[in-house]
Amino acid sequence: MLRPLGDRIIIELVEVEEKSQFGIVLPDSAKEKPQEGKVVAVGTGRVLDNGTRVELEVKEGDTIIFSKYSGTEVKYEGKEYLILRETDVLAILG
Amino acid sequence: MLRPLGDRIIIELVEVEEKSQFGIVLPDSAKEKPQEGKVVAVGTGRVLDNGTRVELEVKEGDTIIFSKYSGTEVKYEGKEYLILRETDVLAILG
Amino acid sequence: MLRPLGDRIIIELVEVEEKSQFGIVLPDSAKEKPQEGKVVAVGTGRVLDNGTRVELEVKEGDTIIFSKYSGTEVKYEGKEYLILRETDVLAILG
Amino acid sequence: MLRPLGDRIIIELVEVEEKSQFGIVLPDSAKEKPQEGKVVAVGTGRVLDNGTRVELEVKEGDTIIFSKYSGTEVKYEGKEYLILRETDVLAILG
Amino acid sequence: MLRPLGDRIIIELVEVEEKSQFGIVLPDSAKEKPQEGKVVAVGTGRVLDNGTRVELEVKEGDTIIFSKYSGTEVKYEGKEYLILRETDVLAILG
Amino acid sequence: MLRPLGDRIIIELVEVEEKSQFGIVLPDSAKEKPQEGKVVAVGTGRVLDNGTRVELEVKEGDTIIFSKYSGTEVKYEGKEYLILRETDVLAILG
Amino acid sequence: MLRPLGDRIIIELVEVEEKSQFGIVLPDSAKEKPQEGKVVAVGTGRVLDNGTRVELEVKEGDTIIFSKYSGTEVKYEGKEYLILRETDVLAILG
């Protein structure tokens, strides 16, 4: 098992179709493309300056959208994961 | 549904006419052009160093102006959205 | 109506004569040229780390001087405005 | 009248002789040259994170030394002023 | 013995196989490769602005994953160690 | 008299011999060379976020070592001074 | 005597053998090489935002490891010292 620290989360990548409904690749290359992932573990939270720990909003099992190029790839027991900070998470799906 | 985190909001873009009243493109290219969007979801707010959470000023349904080039485009269930931080919102319309 | 957020203000630009009394353009190009504007709306203020909100010093109707190149131009209902942070305001006139 | 905001002050420049006692320009060009000014207005002070406002140390009428290249030049009713942050003030004279 | 300061930890490197199950080197060179280490000593923690010291989450004996290129190599009594800040630790294994 | 503001101090430079005991210039040019000065005035101290003012450790009359290239040269009543922030002071002598 | 300020410490350098057991220079040039020093003086500590002063962890007489290229060399009464911030200290030996 992998236990992320502080405000970090661990996700498995979810494959997202990069084409439009009609199969045309959208040319909006100037914008950062987001990606989807499924949360498999969350850290214990961020410690504030007054000493209290703020729990993460993201929970295990959530499907999230995150900024491409954020995080660090980790391979563990034959599977690939991505470790992100919660601040790299843009939104929770569903 | 997309639920933004912290101080993030999700908007649908609103098309804005980029020409002047008489159809002439304004040449003020040195200035950052703002854009309009309609807020479809808001995050739970920003956590202060004393542990309290500050609700966002922007509400669901607001039409806002934001700085061009800010935010991340997201496609979800066939529609396009933009995820911004509240700090990228310049003003609320109306 | 445009409602600015947080520590932002909205101004209408005031035309300022860029020449000296005798019609000579002042060559002090190394210095940033300030500009004048009339405040038409102010935000709700900045939230401190202890959770209190600090009202802006600038009030609606004030004529202000601000650093050139700061802010974002906005066109709304046929008129042009500039949205600034209060920190870009150098002084209030009168 | 010009009223500076927050931790800003407004000064009139004081001409300083740039030569040594014997009329020789000092070649210490690697060092930033300070300048003198007379304070004509001071802001209401800086707001701390606990919500209290810290009055400026600099008072109206003080002659100060400040770092060259800091501040913004302002022309108001035919006179030239410089608007600085108090942090750009190096020392008070006399 | 080496005693790390503050939020630092000392680890011994653990050799990680860089190939896939079938012996093929994974070409994902654009991503930062994480590494494994075994924690041999931890600092006394980070001091918050309110004066309390936050103990590290990482404990002696933990196997951790950390960002490649972080930390400083130290050789002590013939053995090599790496000194990291806890913030460079991505996850704890097992 | 020159009165420095906040955490600033004013020093007179003390000439330091840059050669070794045997008159050889030390070639350690990659390292920043420190310099000596005598403190002639100190500011009122730094204001913390809780509103209290922290007195400077450096006192008038102290001989200090400071990082070369820090501070601003000031000429006042025919004498040259250097205005530094206390944080540029490395150590007090004696 | 040299008295360092705040979170600074003064050390004497300790010569460290840069070769391996068999006299071969280790080619790990991409990593920052740490160095050893003996602490001869420590500052009074760092002042937190709540006004309390945090004593340094490093004590006079400690042998420490620090990041190469950090600190400032000082020559005082014929001896060479290095002045560091405690944050540049990686670990205490023994």
Side-chain angles (χ1 to χ4, degrees):
Chain A
M1 212 187 78
L2 286 172
R3 282 186 294 134
L5 265 81
D7 62 343
R8 286 194 176 87
I9 65 168
I10 303 183
I11 62 172
E12 293 177 328
L13 288 190
V14 175
E15 289 293 311
V16 185
E17 185 60 59
E18 294 192 17
K19 293 173 185 176
S20 74
Q21 286 175 265
F22 309 101
I24 300 153
V25 177
L26 298 167
D28 213 333
S29 59
K31 293 274 181 172
E32 216 183 311
K33 282 188 200 112
Q35 291 186 314
E36 280 182 40
K38 185 161 182 177
V39 180
V40 296
V42 300
T44 50
R46 182 168 59 96
V47 176
L48 297 178
D49 273 352
N50 68 359
T52 59
R53 195 174 277 272
V54 182
E55 230 181 284
L56 300 189
E57 280 192 68
V58 171
K59 304 295 173 215
E60 209 185 302
D62 282 351
T63 300
I64 59 149
I65 295 177
F66 60 94
S67 300
K68 211 176 174 176
Y69 307 124
S70 55
T72 308
E73 277 186 8
V74 175
K75 199 155 58 158
Y76 180 65
E77 297 182 349
K79 288 187 71 173
E80 292 206 19
Y81 299 97
L82 194 69
I83 301 181
L84 302 168
R85 291 183 173 274
E86 195 189 49
T87 190
D88 296 320
V89 177
L90 299 168
I92 302 171
L93 267 77
Chain B
M1 213 188 77
L2 286 173
R3 283 187 291 135
L5 265 82
D7 62 343
R8 286 193 177 88
I9 65 168
I10 303 184
I11 62 171
E12 292 177 327
L13 289 188
V14 175
E15 290 294 310
V16 184
E17 186 59 59
E18 294 192 16
K19 293 173 185 176
S20 74
Q21 287 175 264
F22 308 101
I24 299 152
V25 176
L26 297 167
D28 213 333
S29 59
K31 294 275 181 170
E32 216 182 311
K33 283 189 201 112
Q35 292 187 314
E36 280 182 40
K38 186 162 181 175
V39 180
V40 296
V42 300
T44 50
R46 182 168 59 97
V47 176
L48 297 178
D49 272 352
N50 69 358
T52 59
R53 195 173 278 271
V54 182
E55 231 181 282
L56 299 188
E57 280 192 68
V58 171
K59 304 296 173 213
E60 208 184 303
D62 282 351
T63 300
I64 60 149
I65 295 176
F66 61 93
S67 300
K68 210 177 173 176
Y69 307 123
S70 54
T72 308
E73 276 186 9
V74 174
K75 198 155 58 159
Y76 180 65
E77 296 182 349
K79 288 187 71 173
E80 292 206 18
Y81 300 96
L82 194 68
I83 301 180
L84 302 168
R85 291 182 173 275
E86 196 189 48
T87 190
D88 296 321
V89 177
L90 299 168
I92 303 171
L93 266 78
Chain C
M1 213 187 78
L2 286 173
R3 282 187 291 135
L5 266 81
D7 62 343
R8 286 193 177 88
I9 65 167
I10 303 184
I11 62 171
E12 293 177 327
L13 287 189
V14 174
E15 289 294 311
V16 184
E17 185 61 59
E18 294 192 16
K19 292 173 184 173
S20 73
Q21 287 175 265
F22 309 102
I24 299 152
V25 177
L26 296 167
D28 213 332
S29 59
K31 295 274 180 170
E32 216 183 312
K33 284 190 199 108
Q35 292 185 315
E36 280 183 40
K38 186 162 181 175
V39 180
V40 297
V42 300
T44 51
R46 182 168 59 97
V47 176
L48 297 179
D49 273 352
N50 69 357
T52 59
R53 195 174 279 272
V54 182
E55 232 181 282
L56 300 188
E57 279 192 69
V58 171
K59 304 297 174 211
E60 209 184 303
D62 282 351
T63 300
I64 59 149
I65 295 177
F66 61 92
S67 301
K68 210 177 175 176
Y69 307 122
S70 55
T72 308
E73 278 186 9
V74 175
K75 198 156 57 159
Y76 180 65
E77 296 181 348
K79 287 186 72 172
E80 291 206 20
Y81 300 97
L82 194 68
I83 302 180
L84 302 168
R85 290 183 174 273
E86 197 189 49
T87 191
D88 296 321
V89 177
L90 299 167
I92 303 171
L93 266 79
Chain D
M1 213 187 79
L2 286 172
R3 283 187 291 133
L5 266 80
D7 62 343
R8 286 193 177 87
I9 65 167
I10 303 184
I11 61 170
E12 293 177 327
L13 288 189
V14 175
E15 289 294 311
V16 184
E17 186 60 61
E18 295 191 16
K19 292 174 184 174
S20 72
Q21 286 175 264
F22 308 102
I24 300 153
V25 177
L26 297 168
D28 213 333
S29 59
K31 294 274 181 171
E32 217 182 311
K33 284 188 199 112
Q35 292 185 315
E36 279 183 41
K38 185 160 182 176
V39 180
V40 296
V42 299
T44 51
R46 182 168 59 98
V47 176
L48 297 179
D49 272 352
N50 70 357
T52 59
R53 195 174 278 272
V54 182
E55 232 181 282
L56 299 189
E57 280 191 70
V58 172
K59 304 295 174 212
E60 210 184 301
D62 282 351
T63 300
I64 60 150
I65 296 177
F66 61 93
S67 301
K68 210 177 175 177
Y69 307 122
S70 55
T72 308
E73 278 187 8
V74 175
K75 197 154 59 158
Y76 180 66
E77 297 181 348
K79 287 186 72 173
E80 291 206 20
Y81 300 97
L82 194 68
I83 301 180
L84 301 168
R85 291 184 174 273
E86 196 189 50
T87 191
D88 296 321
V89 177
L90 299 168
I92 302 171
L93 266 78
Chain E
M1 211 187 79
L2 287 172
R3 282 187 293 135
L5 265 81
D7 62 344
R8 286 193 176 87
I9 65 167
I10 303 183
I11 62 171
E12 293 177 328
L13 288 190
V14 175
E15 289 294 311
V16 184
E17 184 60 60
E18 295 192 17
K19 292 175 186 174
S20 73
Q21 287 176 263
F22 308 100
I24 299 152
V25 176
L26 297 167
D28 213 332
S29 59
K31 295 273 181 172
E32 217 182 311
K33 282 188 201 112
Q35 291 186 315
E36 279 183 41
K38 184 159 183 179
V39 180
V40 297
V42 299
T44 50
R46 182 168 58 96
V47 175
L48 297 178
D49 273 353
N50 68 358
T52 59
R53 196 172 277 273
V54 182
E55 231 181 282
L56 300 188
E57 279 191 68
V58 170
K59 304 295 172 213
E60 210 186 301
D62 282 351
T63 301
I64 58 149
I65 296 177
F66 61 95
S67 300
K68 210 177 175 177
Y69 307 123
S70 54
T72 308
E73 277 186 9
V74 175
K75 198 156 57 158
Y76 180 66
E77 296 182 349
K79 287 187 72 172
E80 292 207 19
Y81 300 96
L82 194 69
I83 301 181
L84 302 168
R85 290 183 174 274
E86 195 189 49
T87 191
D88 296 320
V89 177
L90 298 168
I92 302 170
L93 265 78
Chain F
M1 213 187 78
L2 286 173
R3 282 187 292 134
L5 266 80
D7 62 344
R8 287 193 176 86
I9 66 167
I10 303 184
I11 61 171
E12 293 177 328
L13 288 189
V14 175
E15 289 295 309
V16 184
E17 185 60 61
E18 295 190 18
K19 292 174 184 172
S20 74
Q21 287 175 263
F22 308 101
I24 299 153
V25 177
L26 297 167
D28 212 332
S29 59
K31 293 274 181 171
E32 218 183 310
K33 283 188 200 110
Q35 292 185 314
E36 278 183 41
K38 184 160 183 177
V39 180
V40 297
V42 300
T44 51
R46 182 168 59 97
V47 176
L48 297 178
D49 272 352
N50 70 357
T52 58
R53 195 174 277 272
V54 182
E55 232 180 282
L56 300 189
E57 280 191 69
V58 171
K59 304 296 173 211
E60 211 184 300
D62 282 351
T63 300
I64 59 149
I65 296 177
F66 61 93
S67 300
K68 210 177 176 177
Y69 307 123
S70 55
T72 308
E73 277 186 9
V74 175
K75 197 154 59 156
Y76 180 66
E77 297 182 347
K79 289 186 70 173
E80 291 207 20
Y81 300 96
L82 195 68
I83 301 180
L84 301 168
R85 291 183 174 275
E86 195 188 50
T87 190
D88 296 321
V89 177
L90 299 168
I92 302 170
L93 265 79
Chain G
M1 211 188 78
L2 287 172
R3 282 187 293 134
L5 265 81
D7 62 344
R8 287 193 176 87
I9 66 168
I10 303 183
I11 62 172
E12 293 177 328
L13 288 190
V14 175
E15 289 294 311
V16 184
E17 185 59 60
E18 295 191 17
K19 293 174 185 173
S20 73
Q21 287 175 264
F22 308 102
I24 299 153
V25 176
L26 296 168
D28 212 334
S29 59
K31 294 274 182 171
E32 218 182 310
K33 283 188 201 111
Q35 291 185 315
E36 279 184 41
K38 184 160 182 177
V39 180
V40 296
V42 301
T44 51
R46 182 168 59 98
V47 175
L48 297 178
D49 273 352
N50 69 359
T52 59
R53 195 173 277 272
V54 182
E55 232 181 281
L56 299 188
E57 279 192 69
V58 171
K59 304 295 173 213
E60 210 184 301
D62 282 351
T63 301
I64 59 149
I65 296 177
F66 61 94
S67 300
K68 210 177 176 177
Y69 308 123
S70 54
T72 308
E73 277 187 9
V74 175
K75 198 155 57 156
Y76 181 66
E77 297 182 347
K79 288 187 71 172
E80 292 207 19
Y81 299 97
L82 194 69
I83 301 181
L84 303 168
R85 291 183 174 275
E86 195 188 49
T87 190
D88 296 321
V89 177
L90 299 168
I92 302 170
L93 265 78

